[in-house]
Amino acid sequence: MKAAWITAHGGNEVVMVGEHAQPIRERGEVLVRLRAATLNRVDLYMRDSGAGITHRLPQILGLDGAGTVETVDNDETRLTPGQQVVVHPGITCGRCEFCLRGERVLCSHMSLLGEHRDGTFAQYVSVPARNVFPMPAGLSFAEAAALGVNHLTAWRMLFSKARLKAWETVLVFGIGGGVSLAALQLAKRVGARVLVTSRDRQKLMRASKLGADHTIDGSTQDIAKAVMAATDGRGVDVVIENVGAAVWSSAMKSLVRGGRLVTCGATTGDQPPADLRRIFIRQLQIFGSTHGELGEFQDLCGFVEQTGLKPVIDREYPLDQVHDALDRLESGAQFGKVVLRID
């Protein structure tokens, strides 16, 4: 099969494209013929160093993907050959204390596609049947592939952690990135008011067209003051944040008393000032969140089909042009998901 993999760590020179051994399907697994995969920041991280992530080389990159079922066990009742499907990239042990109490997302032995095992930048991937879900109707393979990381992460942040209500107001940092755009789309679909920030005017204009109720230019405006002005001095109920140290103070100051902040990233640093006095006096709640449960993914897929939500796609590249796709993601210029077409 054709695939894209890393042979070492560095720049694009370590990313190879060519023929690779096809995965062997084990009992209980589904062999999926992939048609699209999307890029995530971790693909750049794995290429650059992969530090702190147990992995082996060579390693096929890619966390999320969508395609068709190639082969399954004869007694599989939910999935059939030829069916269009989307993949959940987290393979759990099923035996640790977290799996046993129904919190697989906390599995102490989780292996992620593209990180701990071969991923989706390939024509085929084999994963446990529980990790394969029918593709929501109305989506292209590229749009469906985008659900497995960014939209699932945003779904858990908004609804499982922050427990967002339709009448509440949300502040989303860094609009244009995958998780941030997903949070905007999902929050608007349930009726919430959404404020977004970016240092890029074009991204703010595009976010407005997607339904953002208010935009804040982080390059020219004091974010917390702008939030207070937009909310009549009240603040927002929920902050969705994946930037880290550079915006942490603004995020904290933007919350109403008793507000909730959910973070899933730290691209500008992971050691912001704690601001403990503000936390306990205003009784703020801070949640960390990463990825999502199988059940949450099932709920997300159903929600997407029922509401007609379509993930935002920035650009599509053939698998042979994976270097260009990685460069596009690394530039930070993207608005939505960068996609690999796997033909």
Side-chain angles (χ1 to χ4, degrees), residues 19-338:
E19 289 300 312
H20 191 285
Q22 183 173 312
I24 298 173
R25 186 183 70 84
E26 304 288 345
R27 168 123 183 112
E29 292 188 340
V30 176
L31 183 66
V32 177
R33 170 63 165 94
L34 292 161
R35 301 293 180 177
T38 73
L39 276 66
N40 294 281
R41 297 297 303 184
V42 73
D43 296 311
L44 292 172
Y45 185 74
M46 291 298 296
R47 181 201 66 181
D48 295 346
S49 73
I53 297 176
T54 302
H55 62 284
R56 53 175 172 67
L57 296 173
Q59 169 81 56
I60 298 176
L61 297 174
L63 274 80
D64 48 19
T68 56
V69 174
E70 186 76 5
T71 58
V72 295
D73 290 340
N74 291 332
D75 58 357
E76 169 62 40
T77 59
R78 190 171 58 94
L79 302 166
T80 58
Q83 184 177 2
Q84 295 183 343
V85 292
V86 62
V87 174
H88 182 295
I91 290 82
T92 55
C93 72
R95 295 184 176 183
C96 70
E97 62 173 297
F98 306 105
C99 287
L100 290 176
R101 70 188 188 203
E103 297 180 286
R104 287 179 177 268
V105 74
L106 299 178
C107 176
S108 54
H109 303 290
M110 180 183 289
S111 62
L112 288 163
L113 298 178
E115 295 184 40
H116 309 100
R117 57 191 285 166
D118 282 337
T120 56
F121 290 4
Q123 288 180 302
Y124 295 94
V125 69
S126 188
V127 295
R130 64 175 177 269
N131 287 77
V132 180
F133 293 78
M135 201 169 99
L139 297 187
S140 67
F141 285 117
E143 292 165 340
L147 298 176
V149 174
N150 289 165
H151 280 73
L152 178 55
T153 298
W155 179 275
R156 181 173 176 84
M157 293 174 78
L158 286 168
F159 305 124
S160 299
K161 293 292 186 176
R163 299 188 180 278
L164 176 68
K165 309 296 189 303
W167 55 85
E168 292 184 315
T169 301
V170 185
L171 171 64
V172 179
F173 278 89
I175 203 65
V179 172
S180 299
L181 277 172
L184 166 61
Q185 290 184 297
L186 291 168
K188 289 302 299 180
R189 284 302 193 285
V190 300
R193 184 185 183 210
V194 183
L195 286 60
V196 301
T197 79
S198 175
R199 299 176 64 84
D200 186 317
R201 277 189 175 183
Q202 292 299 317
K203 291 183 178 181
L204 291 174
M205 291 174 60
R206 295 182 69 178
S208 291
K209 292 179 180 179
L210 286 174
D213 297 284
H214 188 82
T215 62
I216 300 170
D217 188 337
S219 66
T220 61
Q221 295 178 275
D222 181 299
I223 292 175
K225 289 181 179 178
V227 168
M228 290 302 165
T231 59
D232 297 325
R234 177 182 181 274
V236 298
D237 301 283
V238 174
V239 167
I240 297 298
E241 193 282 310
N242 59 10
V243 180
V247 303
W248 189 261
S249 179
S250 296
M252 299 285 282
K253 292 176 182 177
S254 297
L255 283 167
V256 70
R257 291 175 178 269
R260 296 97 73 196
L261 183 154
V262 191
T263 180
C264 71
T267 55
T268 63
D270 61 1
Q271 297 296 321
D275 203 358
L276 291 178
R277 187 176 290 109
R278 178 177 295 274
I279 292 174
F280 65 73
I281 289 177
R282 299 179 70 87
Q283 299 195 43
L284 305 179
Q285 301 176 69
I286 300 174
F287 300 94
S289 189
T290 301
H291 207 213
E293 298 276 0
L294 296 175
E296 289 169 325
F297 194 43
Q298 178 173 273
D299 292 342
L300 168 64
C301 289
F303 181 87
V304 166
E305 184 165 321
Q306 289 178 13
T307 62
L309 183 153
K310 290 182 180 292
V312 179
I313 303 301
D314 177 71
R315 292 187 184 177
E316 296 187 28
Y317 299 84
L319 183 58
D320 286 335
Q321 294 178 19
V322 64
H323 291 171
D324 294 334
L326 289 166
D327 287 343
R328 176 67 177 172
L329 180 63
E330 192 167 29
S331 74
Q334 80 282 359
F335 188 86
K337 295 296 290 183
V338 178

